[in-house]
Amino acid sequence: MSSVESQQEQSSQSDPSPSPNSCSSFELLDMDAGSLYEPVSPHWFYCKIIDSKETWIPFNSQDSQQLEEAYSSGKDCNTIVPTDGGRYDVHLGERMRYAVYWDELASEVRRCTWFYKGDKDNKYVPYSESFSQVLEETYMLAVTLDEWKKKLESPNREIIILHNPKLMVHYQPVAGSDEWGSAPAEQGRPRTVKRGVENISVDIHCGEPLQIDHLVFVVHGIGPACDLRFRSIVQCVNDFRSVSLNLLQTHFKKAQENQQIGRVEFLPVNWHSPLHSTGVDVDLQRITLPSINRLRHFTNDTILDVFFYNSPTYCQTIVDTVASEMNRIYILFLQRNPDFKGSVSIAGHSLGSLILFDILTNQKDSLGDTDSKKDLPSIFMDQGDTPTLEEELRKLQLSEFFSIFEKEKIDKEALALCTDKDLQEMGIPLGPRKKILNYFRTRKNSMGVNRPTPQSPAGANMSNIPKESEFYSSTNGLDVGIGQVPVKYPRLIYKPEIFFAFGSPIGMFLTVRGLKRIDPNYRFPTCKGFFNIYHPFDPVAYRIEPMVVPGAEFEPMLIPHHKGRKRMHLELREGLTRMSMDLKNNLLGSLRMAWKSFTRAPYPALQASETAEETEAEPESNSEKPSDVNTEENPVPVKEEAPPIHVGMLNGGQRIDYVLQEKPIESFNEYLFALQSHLCYWESEDTVLLVLKEIYQTQGIFLDQPLQ
């Protein structure tokens, strides 16, 4: 007999018997015992590997109800139930959960009614469906017959004892004991057993709105991990989506109550796995040094992605993967959501934003125009003065032959088409001929001269998807002329509404490629909006607006706090700065007044000379004038509003650069939080709220209260 049973028997013997007139709980059970039993309410869970261990996560209440209804119908063998907003399918017959839009290991699904507490994380683990049914039948008999201390043996030969409705224990076997040991199995450390999901501490969400208003593709940066916890792009986008759902409930409450909006769907796009499945990792491993193995592996897996993108071979693989994945997911999304009427936007983090920028720059308008850029200024129009033929020949130290080309009326384009025989007939020696041909042929290839331009399809919809020969847009000569990798950029089968860049190095790459400024009238051929969002301490982020308006100096737009105020330390910093300026101005004004009053009476000659000096001196600043005059008699001048800043058409005339407010702890040491600031966007409420605000603003839906 176990210690628990012996204690309960002793307590029952020591308890006085109830009086004849009293109504004990046992008598109540005997009177109507059958009515006290209520069937347990099941809830559906799925198993996920987190930190190398199995974790059971509940479906939201809406998905669990759908799974239970499908299970109760009795046709669960071939039934497929979409869950998690349609991003996962549950095959009831297999009890497995599969991802729809991306590759992911399938996870086990279970209809759960009974749970036991785990050892390490104190989270409840569900029993198998078959053993849960045995537990439920035993519990029903115990309640109905009022016979407790029921003992059961689990499939792995562990003991579960039902002492009473509030005390049910699962005993683990003692380490090292077996069936020949002296200690019984139930003498191990007990674990709590609970019946029904309502008795365990677990967060169960209500579910997501069925209506999808907008679709956003999210492209990751370098490496397979996207944050400091080494999570994948799928997990980080899940956080981004969860934050957006919470903000929709708090900041768009009126629109949700009026059923004007549903939700925004964010889907990840992974290009790292296809790139590193080309065999490049094996090639790199052969030449990698054996020392500092972990650091070199990290470099090969992450930092080298930047060099891959600057390689024509692997750059083609990257842009093909990103564009084809977004097109594939878009087609699949329309098939699964035929009632979708919303628009599409794209977002990129770090290097992913540069990939999207290059793809958007080389898009063609899907209205049947073979060259959509003919009516648009090129982003690369202003690269400085283009060197003339004479300057090119001077660079080659062949200036003496310029007169020959001038006589033959040959410019740079004509010279690029000349052959060796043509130059020989002009009387140019063999050595200079080889230099000229090599130089200008290289320039011709890099400028993309005489490349055929494929025709664009009439539209970008499900019924008119571009053919494989029409899927690529030819490389614009000016694009490659500034150092952009000469690859064929795929076409997107839709027009993105807005392009969001998080922690983006676009400005740096454009500058390194040789671009001095962006034409103010330039805009993406197929995308209307562009927002460059960054953290002030992000070491990878660069601004865009100074390249559009290089002559003006202005600060980026400060992203409002999602609670509608500036962070306290920023307000304190501004207040202290303003206070110090006021104290300085008042102190200077008081000293000047004291000096004047001291020198005016006893020294009239000095007073006269001071008056003359003041006449010749510059007028006092506005901050010093109130100390010389009565402030009550003069009205306070109205502060003039700063004129709006025009930063071109890249974002439809709106501002482009948006900076987050750093946290108070981050302001103590910028270098300490530099890496964290580059990976902070996935859980940043301010970032997500800006994205939602700009998306719904295009539909005429605004925040409940404007943020300051």
Side-chain angles (χ1 to χ4, degrees), residues 33-54:
S35 62
L36 295 179
Y37 171 76
E38 293 183 0
V40 64
S41 299
H43 195 92
W44 291 77
F45 282 65
Y46 64 92
C47 183
K48 196 169 184 179
I49 304 299
I50 300 178
D51 297 333
S52 301
K53 60 183 179 181
E54 293 185 352

Side-chain angles (χ1 to χ4, degrees), residues 473-541:
S473 60
S474 64
T475 306
N476 185 284
L478 290 174
D479 297 357
V480 182
I482 63 163
Q484 194 173 3
V485 180
V487 299
K488 294 181 179 180
Y489 285 93
R491 292 187 59 251
L492 301 177
I493 59 176
Y494 53 85
K495 288 185 177 182
E497 188 76 19
I498 307 175
F499 169 35
F500 299 98
F502 306 139
S504 173
I506 293 174
M508 182 269 290
F509 270 85
L510 294 181
T511 303
V512 171
R513 290 172 179 176
L515 180 65
K516 295 184 180 297
R517 66 183 293 260
I518 299 175
D519 192 294
N521 295 321
Y522 175 78
R523 64 182 186 274
F524 293 123
T526 59
C527 185
K528 300 177 182 178
F530 175 38
F531 290 86
N532 182 37
I533 304 170
Y534 61 92
H535 191 281
F537 303 154
D538 190 340
V540 181

Side-chain angles (χ1 to χ4, degrees), residues 80-199:
I80 299 177
V81 180
T83 61
D84 298 274
R87 296 180 295 275
Y88 289 89
D89 283 342
V90 173
H91 295 228
L92 279 183
E94 303 176 16
R95 291 294 196 272
M96 299 298 290
R97 173 176 175 264
Y98 297 92
V100 174
Y101 298 107
W102 55 82
D103 293 332
E104 183 178 313
L105 292 176
S107 53
E108 182 185 353
V109 174
R110 188 173 293 178
R111 182 176 182 265
C112 305
T113 54
W114 285 76
F115 307 84
Y116 66 91
K117 182 177 287 188
D119 297 328
K120 297 180 180 180
D121 52 7
N122 289 329
K123 292 184 179 179
Y124 282 91
V125 180
Y127 288 103
S128 64
E129 294 186 30
S130 57
F131 188 66
S132 294
Q133 185 175 358
V134 174
L135 285 170
E136 182 65 19
E137 292 175 354
T138 305
Y139 178 85
M140 181 183 64
L141 290 175
V143 172
T144 305
L145 303 176
D146 190 24
E147 296 179 357
W148 292 97
K149 300 179 183 178
K150 298 287 186 180
K151 182 184 296 187
L152 296 90
E153 185 176 347
S154 67
N156 55 353
R157 305 189 66 180
E158 296 180 356
I159 302 301
I160 295 92
I161 299 179
L162 309 183
H163 293 287
N164 56 62
K166 295 183 179 181
L167 179 59
M168 295 174 283
V169 185
H170 181 144
Y171 290 97
Q172 290 180 285
V174 178
S177 65
D178 53 20
E179 60 183 53
W180 299 99
S182 58
E186 64 266 23
Q187 291 300 316
R189 185 172 58 181
R191 294 185 292 191
T192 305
V193 176
K194 294 292 184 181
R195 175 179 178 266
V197 70
E198 63 275 2
N199 293 320

Side-chain angles (χ1 to χ4, degrees), residues 527-649:
C527 185
K528 300 177 182 178
F530 175 38
F531 290 86
N532 182 37
I533 304 170
Y534 61 92
H535 191 281
F537 303 154
D538 190 340
V540 181
Y542 289 82
R543 291 193 63 182
I544 299 294
E545 291 175 342
M547 300 188 69
V548 184
V549 192
E553 294 185 2
F554 50 91
E555 297 293 327
M557 292 290 292
L558 186 66
I559 299 177
H561 194 272
H562 65 281
K563 293 185 178 179
R565 56 170 177 78
K566 280 188 179 180
R567 292 189 182 271
M568 185 177 300
H569 70 287
L570 296 179
E571 294 181 348
L572 181 61
R573 183 189 304 170
E574 292 180 0
L576 291 176
T577 303
R578 195 162 43 246
M579 184 185 303
S580 63
M581 292 299 297
D582 292 342
L583 289 175
K584 178 182 177 181
N585 294 333
N586 292 334
L587 180 60
L588 290 176
S590 300
L591 290 176
R592 184 174 287 104
M593 287 294 295
W595 175 255
K596 287 181 180 180
S597 62
F598 177 74
T599 59
R600 190 166 294 157
Y603 302 102
L606 182 60
Q607 178 184 357
S609 62
E610 181 184 301
T611 305
E613 290 178 359
E614 289 180 354
T615 305
E616 296 176 359
E618 294 182 358
E620 298 175 352
S621 61
N622 293 334
S623 60
E624 297 174 354
K625 286 181 179 179
S627 61
D628 297 337
V629 296
N630 187 0
T631 56
E632 296 179 357
E633 297 177 357
N634 297 321
V636 179
V638 180
K639 183 179 179 181
E640 297 182 359
E641 295 184 358
I645 301 174
H646 300 282
V647 290
M649 298 303 297

Side-chain angles (χ1 to χ4, degrees), residues 261-474:
I261 63 173
R263 63 183 174 92
V264 178
E265 180 63 280
F266 297 91
L267 296 179
V269 177
N270 181 16
W271 57 266
H272 182 270
S273 298
L275 170 66
H276 288 262
S277 62
T278 58
V280 64
D281 289 345
V282 178
D283 299 334
L284 286 173
Q285 189 62 33
R286 289 200 299 265
I287 61 176
T288 301
L289 300 181
S291 58
I292 53 174
N293 184 43
R294 292 185 179 181
L295 180 59
R296 296 188 191 278
H297 177 73
F298 173 79
T299 301
N300 292 347
D301 211 29
T302 56
I303 300 176
L304 285 187
D305 288 346
V306 179
F307 298 95
F308 287 144
Y309 189 66
N310 288 323
S311 165
T313 302
Y314 296 107
C315 180
Q316 189 69 65
T317 302
I318 293 174
V319 296
D320 286 349
T321 302
V322 171
S324 61
E325 274 295 288
M326 289 196 294
N327 288 337
R328 179 190 67 83
I329 296 175
Y330 179 67
I331 294 173
L332 182 58
F333 178 82
L334 292 182
Q335 292 174 350
R336 296 176 63 90
N337 301 273
D339 298 330
F340 177 70
K341 306 293 183 182
S343 303
V344 183
S345 292
I346 56 178
H349 175 243
S350 189
L351 182 62
S353 64
L354 177 66
I355 299 170
L356 293 176
F357 184 88
D358 288 341
I359 292 177
L360 289 179
T361 302
N362 291 274
Q363 289 299 293
K364 298 291 180 82
D365 196 349
S366 60
L367 298 178
D369 185 8
T370 58
D371 188 2
S372 63
K373 294 184 180 180
K374 66 182 182 180
D375 297 328
L376 296 177
S378 174
I379 185 175
F380 310 110
M381 182 172 290
D382 189 355
Q383 308 169 53
D385 297 331
T386 304
T388 62
L389 177 59
E390 184 177 7
E391 293 172 345
E392 300 276 17
L393 292 174
R394 187 182 301 115
K395 186 187 303 182
L396 296 174
Q397 298 180 354
L398 300 174
S399 303
E400 64 270 20
F401 300 106
F402 175 69
S403 58
I404 298 176
F405 295 128
E406 188 177 21
K407 180 181 178 181
E408 297 291 339
K409 297 183 179 180
I410 294 179
D411 56 9
K412 289 198 299 182
E413 293 183 3
L415 185 57
L417 301 174
C418 289
T419 62
D420 182 76
K421 185 178 180 181
D422 295 332
L423 298 180
Q424 185 179 5
E425 292 176 354
M426 296 180 195
I428 299 177
L430 178 61
R433 288 203 310 267
K434 294 301 182 182
K435 286 185 179 181
I436 293 173
L437 289 174
N438 179 66
Y439 180 77
F440 284 96
R441 281 178 179 174
T442 304
R443 295 283 294 173
K444 179 181 73 171
N445 292 335
S446 65
M447 293 292 288
V449 179
N450 295 332
R451 293 187 179 180
T453 303
Q455 299 292 324
S456 300
N461 50 49
M462 289 291 296
S463 61
N464 193 3
I465 300 174
K467 300 178 182 178
E468 184 177 358
S469 60
E470 299 174 339
F471 190 68
Y472 295 96
S473 60
S474 64

